[in-house]
């Protein structure tokens, strides 16, 4: 399966999860990844720090060089964050 098709399936799954507020599909996407808690914390800390800066080029360069697994973690994080931000 090509990366583009697999990415489209992930994106579609994210959209369905957003509508349903069911995290099980997202959990399946990240639970099998070969990363540890520290890897995830470091990725999210880097993401948040770069997101808050005004240097779009620095962020884009960093983001463009992420591995597929890292991008999946970030997408799942953003879905969860969006859901929690809009609960109230």
């Amino acid at each position: 399966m090509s990366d583009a098709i697999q990415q489209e399936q992930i994106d579609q799954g994210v959209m369905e999860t957003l509508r349903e507020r069911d995290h099980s599909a997202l959990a399946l996407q990240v639970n099998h990844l070969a990363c540890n808690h520290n890897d995830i914390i470091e990725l999210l800390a880097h993401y948040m720090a770069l997101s808050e800066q005004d240097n779009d080029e620095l962020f884009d360069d960093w983001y463009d060089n992420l591995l597929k697994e890292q991008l999946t973690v970030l997408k799942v994080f953003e879905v969860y964050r969006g859901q929690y931000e809009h609960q109230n």
Side-chain angles (χ1 to χ4, degrees), residues 33-48:
L33 298 177
C35 56
N36 60 43
H37 294 100
N38 189 63
D39 293 338
I40 295 170
I41 292 167
E42 184 176 351
L43 174 69
L44 295 177
H46 207 158
Y47 174 68
M48 296 302 292

Side-chain angles (χ1 to χ4, degrees), residues 2 17 20 22 35 43 52 63 68 72 74 76-78:
S2 77
T17 301
E20 297 173 10
D22 175 10
C35 56
L43 174 69
E52 293 171 359
Y63 190 87
K68 182 173 67 172
T72 300
L74 288 179
V76 170
F77 170 74
E78 284 298 334

